[in-house]
Amino acid sequence: VQLQASGGGLVQAGDSLRLSCAASGRTFGTYVMAWFRQAGGNERDFVAAVSWSGTTTSYGDSVKGRFTISRDNAKNTVYLQMGSLKPEDTAAYYCAANKKWIYRDSAMYDYWGQGTLVTVSS
């Protein structure tokens, strides 16, 4: 599967932003989808993940209650709705996929899109 992330930009603290990740192919519904983020030279951190059907989700502690992951299997797209953004949310955001299950370890994901940059100014 090929993944294409979009929706990043420059926003102010407190604003909202929605990222999208479009997938190629006809088997999107068989993939667990996730978002990770990477700031500077840091490691890629887990943000959120959603199961094949969308019924199970998981969030990183720093975004819980502010971000929402969802998917539309008919459109081959996964979304990350980000609210109450903070300057520390500034990072390149990556979507990822696997056919296993929800993991917080980036090594468990087999497919990656290019990053989309989110910058939150104070």
Side-chain angles (χ1 to χ4, degrees):
V1 64
Q2 292 184 324
L3 306 175
Q4 179 78 32
S6 62
L10 173 63
V11 297
Q12 293 186 333
D15 283 353
S16 298
L17 194 65
R18 189 177 80 161
L19 305 183
S20 300
C21 176
S24 64
R26 294 179 287 181
T27 60
F28 177 72
T30 65
Y31 289 90
V32 169
M33 300 299 299
W35 289 95
F36 287 79
R37 67 186 183 186
Q38 187 171 23
N42 296 335
E43 291 185 351
R44 210 165 275 192
D45 292 331
F46 175 75
V47 175
V50 60
S51 61
W52 314 286
S53 64
T55 56
T56 302
T57 57
S58 179
Y59 294 92
D61 291 341
S62 62
V63 306
K64 200 172 296 183
R66 298 189 298 122
F67 291 11
T68 301
I69 189 170
S70 62
R71 66 189 298 161
D72 186 337
N73 287 346
K75 295 183 178 180
N76 280 16
T77 302
V78 62
Y79 304 98
L80 184 68
Q81 180 67 48
M82 304 185 293
S84 301
L85 283 162
K86 305 175 182 179
E88 50 264 44
D89 294 319
T90 294
Y93 284 73
Y94 298 86
C95 56
N98 75 41
K99 281 202 166 189
K100 300 180 283 288
W101 188 234
I102 292 173
Y103 295 100
R104 296 181 173 225
D105 184 351
S106 60
M108 299 303 290
Y109 291 83
D110 304 303
Y111 304 96
W112 290 85
Q114 91 294 349
T116 185
L117 184 62
V118 174
T119 303
V120 184
S121 64
S122 57

